[in-house]
Amino acid sequence: MSQIVLPSRPVIGILHPGVMGASVGSALKPVAGAVIWAAAGRSVTTSKRAEIADFVGVPDLAELVRRADLIISVCPPDAARSVAEQVAEAARDRRPLYVDANAVSPATVAGIGDLFGADRTVDAAIIGPPAWEPGHTVLWLAGEQAPVVAALFDGSPFTARVLDGEIGSASGLKACFAAQSKALPTIWLAIAEAARAYGVQDELRDELARTGKDLTALLQQLDDRAAGKAWRWVGEMEEAADAFAAVGLPDGFSRAAAQMYQRMADADPVDLANSWGLRGGAV
């Protein structure tokens, strides 16, 4: 295995500067010649976020690919493959280092690796919130060039850790973590909706309280975490399900969670919040 040598101050492209992407790009600014982003088709909110972070806007993806030594993809999971294909198409005449930092299945990131080559692809998994201060978020990295990327995050708010496994191991870790952090909590929403359908929500709440469980509090916790994000977590749960199915395990847990998050995304937040006495949000 041979590691590539990036320029001493590499140009780093971020696709795209959402809340997480902005934190990744900001973490890399001290070591980058420039952190760039493709402005074409992005929202006013994204543009403002990139401006506040002092990223350099370029007209489009083609220009970003032409200039960047390293490209980091941070996008909704169901867009990860499409974004990678667009980059690969634009990068036919050069080979930037491509980091997929999306919550996708090992199979999805392996397919992305086929687009760029295993020697130019890094599988990355972010576990934790957008990192603005150290101690809260870990960036797991896998692949031949994982140590190269990890070194860029030295001293940043992200704790970068390199896995011994090949491309797919970081995404596998993320899928396993997401199954407990995002899939398991949706069982309370499914239980609550079933109880409401049968007209026994008050009795259920009382029975759960008798065993030390506060259903309203559990639903509130889910709402606090998922408000505004449920649509995004649908794709993540589908990718996690694919990860479990690929190793011969039942995938129904995450597929059911995807369905519940879709219901949350489609629901009227006020109606559901009022039904369960919540402060408001997605549930």
mmCIF file of all heavy atoms in Angstrom, residues 153-182:
data_model
loop_
_atom_site.group_PDB
_atom_site.id
_atom_site.type_symbol
_atom_site.label_atom_id
_atom_site.label_comp_id
_atom_site.label_asym_id
_atom_site.label_seq_id
_atom_site.Cartn_x
_atom_site.Cartn_y
_atom_site.Cartn_z
ATOM 1 N N PHE A 153 -6.802 16.229 9.985
ATOM 2 C CA PHE A 153 -7.687 16.604 11.090
ATOM 3 C C PHE A 153 -6.971 16.692 12.434
ATOM 4 O O PHE A 153 -7.606 16.937 13.454
ATOM 5 C CB PHE A 153 -8.842 15.608 11.186
ATOM 6 C CG PHE A 153 -9.885 15.794 10.115
ATOM 7 C CD1 PHE A 153 -9.779 15.113 8.913
ATOM 8 C CD2 PHE A 153 -10.964 16.644 10.305
ATOM 9 C CE1 PHE A 153 -10.731 15.280 7.915
ATOM 10 C CE2 PHE A 153 -11.916 16.814 9.317
ATOM 11 C CZ PHE A 153 -11.810 16.135 8.113
ATOM 12 N N ASP A 154 -5.652 16.489 12.441
ATOM 13 C CA ASP A 154 -4.895 16.619 13.695
ATOM 14 C C ASP A 154 -5.119 18.006 14.291
ATOM 15 O O ASP A 154 -4.976 19.030 13.614
ATOM 16 C CB ASP A 154 -3.399 16.414 13.440
ATOM 17 C CG ASP A 154 -3.038 14.956 13.230
ATOM 18 O OD1 ASP A 154 -3.897 14.080 13.467
ATOM 19 O OD2 ASP A 154 -1.896 14.696 12.787
ATOM 20 N N GLY A 155 -5.485 18.037 15.572
ATOM 21 C CA GLY A 155 -5.697 19.307 16.253
ATOM 22 C C GLY A 155 -7.027 19.968 15.965
ATOM 23 O O GLY A 155 -7.291 21.068 16.461
ATOM 24 N N SER A 156 -7.879 19.304 15.190
ATOM 25 C CA SER A 156 -9.183 19.881 14.856
ATOM 26 C C SER A 156 -10.235 19.415 15.856
ATOM 27 O O SER A 156 -9.977 18.546 16.696
ATOM 28 C CB SER A 156 -9.590 19.436 13.445
ATOM 29 O OG SER A 156 -10.144 18.129 13.463
ATOM 30 N N PRO A 157 -11.455 19.947 15.773
ATOM 31 C CA PRO A 157 -12.520 19.476 16.662
ATOM 32 C C PRO A 157 -12.946 18.030 16.404
ATOM 33 O O PRO A 157 -13.596 17.424 17.258
ATOM 34 C CB PRO A 157 -13.675 20.439 16.365
ATOM 35 C CG PRO A 157 -13.028 21.664 15.839
ATOM 36 C CD PRO A 157 -11.864 21.170 15.044
ATOM 37 N N PHE A 158 -12.602 17.478 15.241
ATOM 38 C CA PHE A 158 -12.916 16.082 14.941
ATOM 39 C C PHE A 158 -11.790 15.182 15.432
ATOM 40 O O PHE A 158 -10.616 15.445 15.171
ATOM 41 C CB PHE A 158 -13.088 15.876 13.436
ATOM 42 C CG PHE A 158 -14.342 16.462 12.861
ATOM 43 C CD1 PHE A 158 -14.383 17.793 12.468
ATOM 44 C CD2 PHE A 158 -15.482 15.682 12.704
ATOM 45 C CE1 PHE A 158 -15.533 18.336 11.930
ATOM 46 C CE2 PHE A 158 -16.640 16.220 12.165
ATOM 47 C CZ PHE A 158 -16.666 17.557 11.779
ATOM 48 N N THR A 159 -12.154 14.104 16.123
ATOM 49 C CA THR A 159 -11.177 13.092 16.498
ATOM 50 C C THR A 159 -11.133 12.062 15.384
ATOM 51 O O THR A 159 -12.075 11.287 15.197
ATOM 52 C CB THR A 159 -11.570 12.407 17.818
ATOM 53 O OG1 THR A 159 -11.639 13.390 18.856
ATOM 54 C CG2 THR A 159 -10.549 11.338 18.196
ATOM 55 N N ALA A 160 -10.070 12.058 14.595
ATOM 56 C CA ALA A 160 -9.959 11.155 13.452
ATOM 57 C C ALA A 160 -9.296 9.846 13.881
ATOM 58 O O ALA A 160 -8.236 9.853 14.514
ATOM 59 C CB ALA A 160 -9.155 11.806 12.342
ATOM 60 N N ARG A 161 -9.957 8.745 13.533
ATOM 61 C CA ARG A 161 -9.435 7.422 13.875
ATOM 62 C C ARG A 161 -9.442 6.541 12.636
ATOM 63 O O ARG A 161 -10.432 6.504 11.896
ATOM 64 C CB ARG A 161 -10.263 6.784 14.986
ATOM 65 C CG ARG A 161 -10.172 7.539 16.308
ATOM 66 C CD ARG A 161 -11.038 6.940 17.375
ATOM 67 N NE ARG A 161 -10.914 7.670 18.636
ATOM 68 C CZ ARG A 161 -11.723 7.542 19.671
ATOM 69 N NH1 ARG A 161 -12.744 6.698 19.608
ATOM 70 N NH2 ARG A 161 -11.551 8.250 20.766
ATOM 71 N N VAL A 162 -8.350 5.814 12.431
ATOM 72 C CA VAL A 162 -8.191 4.978 11.248
ATOM 73 C C VAL A 162 -8.498 3.526 11.588
ATOM 74 O O VAL A 162 -7.969 2.980 12.563
ATOM 75 C CB VAL A 162 -6.762 5.099 10.683
ATOM 76 C CG1 VAL A 162 -6.563 4.142 9.503
ATOM 77 C CG2 VAL A 162 -6.480 6.537 10.251
ATOM 78 N N LEU A 163 -9.365 2.928 10.792
ATOM 79 C CA LEU A 163 -9.693 1.510 10.952
ATOM 80 C C LEU A 163 -8.732 0.654 10.127
ATOM 81 O O LEU A 163 -8.261 1.078 9.066
ATOM 82 C CB LEU A 163 -11.134 1.256 10.473
ATOM 83 C CG LEU A 163 -12.246 1.801 11.365
ATOM 84 C CD1 LEU A 163 -13.562 1.854 10.592
ATOM 85 C CD2 LEU A 163 -12.405 0.945 12.609
ATOM 86 N N ASP A 164 -8.470 -0.553 10.611
ATOM 87 C CA ASP A 164 -7.594 -1.468 9.881
ATOM 88 C C ASP A 164 -8.269 -2.037 8.638
ATOM 89 O O ASP A 164 -7.603 -2.447 7.694
ATOM 90 C CB ASP A 164 -7.157 -2.633 10.790
ATOM 91 C CG ASP A 164 -6.210 -2.174 11.891
ATOM 92 O OD1 ASP A 164 -5.537 -1.147 11.695
ATOM 93 O OD2 ASP A 164 -6.161 -2.841 12.941
ATOM 94 N N GLY A 165 -9.609 -2.070 8.655
ATOM 95 C CA GLY A 165 -10.334 -2.682 7.553
ATOM 96 C C GLY A 165 -10.269 -1.875 6.272
ATOM 97 O O GLY A 165 -9.848 -0.720 6.241
ATOM 98 N N GLU A 166 -10.746 -2.499 5.179
ATOM 99 C CA GLU A 166 -10.738 -1.849 3.881
ATOM 100 C C GLU A 166 -11.974 -0.971 3.719
ATOM 101 O O GLU A 166 -12.788 -0.814 4.648
ATOM 102 C CB GLU A 166 -10.677 -2.906 2.782
ATOM 103 C CG GLU A 166 -11.803 -3.912 2.844
ATOM 104 C CD GLU A 166 -11.599 -5.066 1.892
ATOM 105 O OE1 GLU A 166 -10.458 -5.313 1.455
ATOM 106 O OE2 GLU A 166 -12.600 -5.740 1.562
ATOM 107 N N ILE A 167 -12.132 -0.384 2.556
ATOM 108 C CA ILE A 167 -13.287 0.457 2.265
ATOM 109 C C ILE A 167 -14.568 -0.324 2.561
ATOM 110 O O ILE A 167 -14.729 -1.472 2.133
ATOM 111 C CB ILE A 167 -13.262 0.902 0.788
ATOM 112 C CG1 ILE A 167 -12.128 1.914 0.577
ATOM 113 C CG2 ILE A 167 -14.594 1.530 0.380
ATOM 114 C CD1 ILE A 167 -11.914 2.290 -0.872
ATOM 115 N N GLY A 168 -15.452 0.290 3.302
ATOM 116 C CA GLY A 168 -16.702 -0.346 3.736
ATOM 117 C C GLY A 168 -16.761 -0.566 5.227
ATOM 118 O O GLY A 168 -17.849 -0.618 5.803
ATOM 119 N N SER A 169 -15.597 -0.654 5.872
ATOM 120 C CA SER A 169 -15.611 -0.922 7.315
ATOM 121 C C SER A 169 -16.095 0.291 8.108
ATOM 122 O O SER A 169 -16.812 0.146 9.103
ATOM 123 C CB SER A 169 -14.235 -1.387 7.805
ATOM 124 O OG SER A 169 -13.232 -0.443 7.495
ATOM 125 N N ALA A 170 -15.730 1.490 7.689
ATOM 126 C CA ALA A 170 -16.213 2.688 8.391
ATOM 127 C C ALA A 170 -17.724 2.825 8.226
ATOM 128 O O ALA A 170 -18.446 3.130 9.180
ATOM 129 C CB ALA A 170 -15.500 3.934 7.875
ATOM 130 N N SER A 171 -18.211 2.578 7.015
ATOM 131 C CA SER A 171 -19.658 2.650 6.783
ATOM 132 C C SER A 171 -20.391 1.554 7.539
ATOM 133 O O SER A 171 -21.513 1.754 8.014
ATOM 134 C CB SER A 171 -19.951 2.556 5.283
ATOM 135 O OG SER A 171 -19.526 3.735 4.620
ATOM 136 N N GLY A 172 -19.765 0.385 7.675
ATOM 137 C CA GLY A 172 -20.367 -0.692 8.458
ATOM 138 C C GLY A 172 -20.491 -0.299 9.922
ATOM 139 O O GLY A 172 -21.512 -0.560 10.568
ATOM 140 N N LEU A 173 -19.460 0.354 10.445
ATOM 141 C CA LEU A 173 -19.503 0.832 11.824
ATOM 142 C C LEU A 173 -20.625 1.846 12.009
ATOM 143 O O LEU A 173 -21.389 1.788 12.981
ATOM 144 C CB LEU A 173 -18.155 1.449 12.193
ATOM 145 C CG LEU A 173 -18.066 2.167 13.542
ATOM 146 C CD1 LEU A 173 -18.363 1.222 14.696
ATOM 147 C CD2 LEU A 173 -16.695 2.807 13.714
ATOM 148 N N LYS A 174 -20.736 2.772 11.067
ATOM 149 C CA LYS A 174 -21.776 3.792 11.146
ATOM 150 C C LYS A 174 -23.158 3.154 11.098
ATOM 151 O O LYS A 174 -24.068 3.562 11.846
ATOM 152 C CB LYS A 174 -21.626 4.775 9.984
ATOM 153 C CG LYS A 174 -22.723 5.822 9.877
ATOM 154 C CD LYS A 174 -22.667 6.864 10.975
ATOM 155 C CE LYS A 174 -23.652 7.989 10.718
ATOM 156 N NZ LYS A 174 -23.589 9.056 11.731
ATOM 157 N N ALA A 175 -23.353 2.146 10.247
ATOM 158 C CA ALA A 175 -24.654 1.480 10.141
ATOM 159 C C ALA A 175 -25.032 0.808 11.457
ATOM 160 O O ALA A 175 -26.183 0.887 11.897
ATOM 161 C CB ALA A 175 -24.636 0.461 9.002
ATOM 162 N N CYS A 176 -24.063 0.147 12.086
ATOM 163 C CA CYS A 176 -24.332 -0.514 13.367
ATOM 164 C C CYS A 176 -24.677 0.512 14.447
ATOM 165 O O CYS A 176 -25.602 0.310 15.237
ATOM 166 C CB CYS A 176 -23.125 -1.337 13.796
ATOM 167 S SG CYS A 176 -22.772 -2.759 12.735
ATOM 168 N N PHE A 177 -23.936 1.608 14.475
ATOM 169 C CA PHE A 177 -24.210 2.644 15.466
ATOM 170 C C PHE A 177 -25.580 3.266 15.227
ATOM 171 O O PHE A 177 -26.349 3.499 16.163
ATOM 172 C CB PHE A 177 -23.121 3.714 15.418
ATOM 173 C CG PHE A 177 -23.244 4.734 16.519
ATOM 174 C CD1 PHE A 177 -22.685 4.501 17.761
ATOM 175 C CD2 PHE A 177 -23.939 5.923 16.315
ATOM 176 C CE1 PHE A 177 -22.811 5.437 18.790
ATOM 177 C CE2 PHE A 177 -24.078 6.855 17.330
ATOM 178 C CZ PHE A 177 -23.510 6.613 18.570
ATOM 179 N N ALA A 178 -25.900 3.535 13.958
ATOM 180 C CA ALA A 178 -27.177 4.169 13.631
ATOM 181 C C ALA A 178 -28.359 3.279 13.959
ATOM 182 O O ALA A 178 -29.450 3.770 14.272
ATOM 183 C CB ALA A 178 -27.206 4.547 12.151
ATOM 184 N N ALA A 179 -28.163 1.968 13.914
ATOM 185 C CA ALA A 179 -29.262 1.059 14.234
ATOM 186 C C ALA A 179 -29.738 1.265 15.668
ATOM 187 O O ALA A 179 -30.932 1.182 15.958
ATOM 188 C CB ALA A 179 -28.841 -0.386 14.007
ATOM 189 N N GLN A 180 -28.789 1.549 16.579
ATOM 190 C CA GLN A 180 -29.211 1.766 17.970
ATOM 191 C C GLN A 180 -29.572 3.218 18.242
ATOM 192 O O GLN A 180 -30.460 3.509 19.029
ATOM 193 C CB GLN A 180 -28.136 1.270 18.950
ATOM 194 C CG GLN A 180 -26.813 2.017 18.904
ATOM 195 C CD GLN A 180 -26.802 3.327 19.669
ATOM 196 O OE1 GLN A 180 -27.424 3.438 20.708
ATOM 197 N NE2 GLN A 180 -26.099 4.309 19.153
ATOM 198 N N SER A 181 -28.919 4.152 17.561
ATOM 199 C CA SER A 181 -29.164 5.566 17.866
ATOM 200 C C SER A 181 -30.394 6.119 17.154
ATOM 201 O O SER A 181 -31.048 7.032 17.664
ATOM 202 C CB SER A 181 -27.939 6.415 17.494
ATOM 203 O OG SER A 181 -27.711 6.398 16.100
ATOM 204 N N LYS A 182 -30.724 5.553 15.986
ATOM 205 C CA LYS A 182 -31.840 6.091 15.207
ATOM 206 C C LYS A 182 -32.966 5.095 14.987
ATOM 207 O O LYS A 182 -34.133 5.484 14.936
ATOM 208 C CB LYS A 182 -31.343 6.610 13.855
ATOM 209 C CG LYS A 182 -30.387 7.793 13.949
ATOM 210 C CD LYS A 182 -30.050 8.333 12.578
ATOM 211 C CE LYS A 182 -29.141 9.566 12.660
ATOM 212 N NZ LYS A 182 -27.758 9.226 12.983
#
